[in-house]
């Protein structure tokens, strides 16, 4: 097999002009798209960073790649060491580990759907079921038994670094720095904090806003500096769903409910305190384990049927 010519691999070339060494490298840059049709009724611009266009349909591979590289450079992760990861964090981590030479052992609860287990196994990951539902205790036990490397994206600082060095810096470069405000769903906090930090360095007047669906329990994740939060939006599901439908019909882009909540927050800003502004938003993929949403939807439908019957 002939190796690609060196000039086709240069990191200074745009992705479209290069032969990449693996699929994981496509996480380096995702598109920034102006939602001109979706927000044509308002004075202002919304620029959407489509992390959902990255490998795997989310920013998970971007974060996983950064975490594994950082851990290896710091000497915390040895070559070929097995990754021990919870099922909700496995998408993206399993694929990145595969490319970087780290097999994965995914720890899941006993109620994980078979289709989710099959998806982990098709990538060659081993699966361990925590019968008592205590995934963290199971991982700690597996560390003692196997010497594997425990992964926790929610608290690892590489989550923040992936978005500070990647997503946020790309927004600045792609928008030429012409941004007045920023919105992102909080998730584990890394996306918001990393992007908000870069934009604050660019211009301290840029205001950053967190977004969650109404009813989400608990405080903001610990990775988020509350001093960077201009406003914390809690968006009702109905308002988020309206933006999901509007995006599909106006822009031809199918998004999830959390991304719809982010767009509802941006719309609120343009309608209220920031008319005429340019708002950058991050639209990420589904935050749930593959297969769990289908199960949840079926369970919800069953509950609705029982409620109707009652």
């Amino acid at each position: 097999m002939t190796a690609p010519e060196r000039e086709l691999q240069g990191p200074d070339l745009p992705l479209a002009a290069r032969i990449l060494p693996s699929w994981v490298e496509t996480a380096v840059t995702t598109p920034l798209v102006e939602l001109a049709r979706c927000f044509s009724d308002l004075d202002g611009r919304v620029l959407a960073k489509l992390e959902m266009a990255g490998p795997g349909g989310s920013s998970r591979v971007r974060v996983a790649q950064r975490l594994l590289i950082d851990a290896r450079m710091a000497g915390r992760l040895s070559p070929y060491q097995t990754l021990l990861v919870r099922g909700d964090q496995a998408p993206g981590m399993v694929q990145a580990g595969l490319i970087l030479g780290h097999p994965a052992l995914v720890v899941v609860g006993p109620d994980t759907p078979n289709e989710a287990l099959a998806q982990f196994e098709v990538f060659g990951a081993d699966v361990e079921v925590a019968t008592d539902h205590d995934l963290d205790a199971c991982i700690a036990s597996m560390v003692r038994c196997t010497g594997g490397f425990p992964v926790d994206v929610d608290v690892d600082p590489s989550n923040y670094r992936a978005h500070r060095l990647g997503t946020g810096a790309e927004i600045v470069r792609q928008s030429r720095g012409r941004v007045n405000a920023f919105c992102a769903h909080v998730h584990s906090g890394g996306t918001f904090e990393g992007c908000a930090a870069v934009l604050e360095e660019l211009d301290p007047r840029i205001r950053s806003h967190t977004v969650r669906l109404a009813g989400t329990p608990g405080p903001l994740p610990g990775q988020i500096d509350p001093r960077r939060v201009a406003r914390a939006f809690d968006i009702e599901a109905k308002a988020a769903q309206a933006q999901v439908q509007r995006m599909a019909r106006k822009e031809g882009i199918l998004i999830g409910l959390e991304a719809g909540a982010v767009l509802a927050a941006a719309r609120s800003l343009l309608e209220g305190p920031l008319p005429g502004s340019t708002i950058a938003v991050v639209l990420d993929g589904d935050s749930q384990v593959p297969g769990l949403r289908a199960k949840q939807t079926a369970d919800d439908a069953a509950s609705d049927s029982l409620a109707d019957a009652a």
Side-chain angles (χ1 to χ4, degrees):
M1 180 176 179
T2 303
E5 296 179 21
R6 184 174 299 276
E7 60 268 25
L8 296 180
Q9 294 181 306
D12 54 328
L13 293 173
L15 282 179
R18 292 159 53 192
I19 296 177
L20 300 175
S22 80
W23 168 79
V24 168
E25 274 68 27
T26 62
V28 172
T29 301
T30 53
L32 187 71
V33 176
E34 180 173 0
L35 304 181
R37 299 164 188 82
C38 196
F39 290 88
S40 60
D41 57 321
L42 297 177
D43 180 20
R45 305 174 73 198
V46 174
L47 307 179
K49 183 66 169 166
L50 299 184
E51 288 294 276
M52 51 187 282
S58 76
S59 64
R60 289 175 178 273
V61 172
R62 181 198 289 273
V63 173
Q65 181 187 38
R66 181 78 267 160
L67 188 154
L68 297 180
I69 290 174
D70 286 352
R72 284 167 59 162
M73 292 182 65
R76 297 186 292 119
L77 176 63
S78 303
Y80 311 112
Q81 188 175 8
T82 297
L83 306 176
L84 305 177
V85 56
R86 296 199 315 264
D88 61 316
Q89 297 184 4
M93 190 62 65
V94 170
Q95 292 97 312
L98 181 70
I99 296 300
L100 295 175
H102 296 281
L105 191 158
V106 181
V107 178
V108 300
D111 54 352
T112 303
N114 289 334
E115 59 266 32
L117 300 178
Q119 188 158 3
F120 298 144
E121 292 171 351
V122 78
F123 287 110
D126 292 324
V127 175
E128 179 75 18
V129 178
T131 55
D132 60 357
H133 295 269
D134 192 341
L135 273 59
D136 291 332
C138 185
I139 287 177
S141 175
M142 297 302 295
V143 170
R144 293 190 294 269
C145 293
T146 68
F149 179 75
V151 174
D152 192 344
V153 173
D154 290 346
V155 299
D156 197 298
S158 294
N159 184 352
Y160 159 81
R161 280 171 48 79
H163 294 291
R164 191 184 191 287
L165 301 176
T167 316
E170 291 168 20
I171 289 174
V172 171
R173 183 171 65 251
Q174 292 166 324
S175 68
R176 308 296 191 270
R178 297 167 186 167
V179 175
N180 306 116
F182 171 69
C183 294
H185 195 281
V186 297
H187 293 135
S188 61
T191 303
F192 173 84
E193 185 66 15
C195 294
V198 173
L199 292 170
E200 185 179 275
E201 289 178 4
L202 172 68
D203 185 347
R205 295 172 297 178
I206 297 175
R207 312 299 289 166
S208 295
H209 308 77
T210 60
V211 181
R212 292 198 296 189
L213 287 167
T216 303
L220 291 176
Q223 292 201 43
I224 294 179
D225 183 347
R227 293 172 296 182
R228 286 204 174 96
V229 182
R231 178 178 172 184
F233 281 93
D234 288 304
I235 302 296
E236 296 291 337
K238 185 176 181 180
Q241 184 59 47
Q243 296 308 307
V244 171
Q245 186 176 77
R246 188 176 182 87
M247 273 286 281
R249 296 183 178 183
K250 295 286 188 178
E251 302 285 352
I253 300 175
L254 186 62
I255 60 174
L257 204 59
E258 292 173 350
V262 173
L263 294 183
R267 176 166 288 275
S268 178
L269 290 173
L270 291 179
E271 290 175 337
L274 298 177
S277 297
T278 296
I279 302 175
V281 302
V282 173
L283 302 185
D284 213 336
D286 199 314
S287 63
Q288 296 195 16
V289 180
L292 290 188
R293 178 167 294 281
K295 180 178 183 297
Q296 180 182 354
T297 300
D299 291 346
D300 289 346
S303 298
D304 291 342
S305 296
L306 289 173
D308 291 341

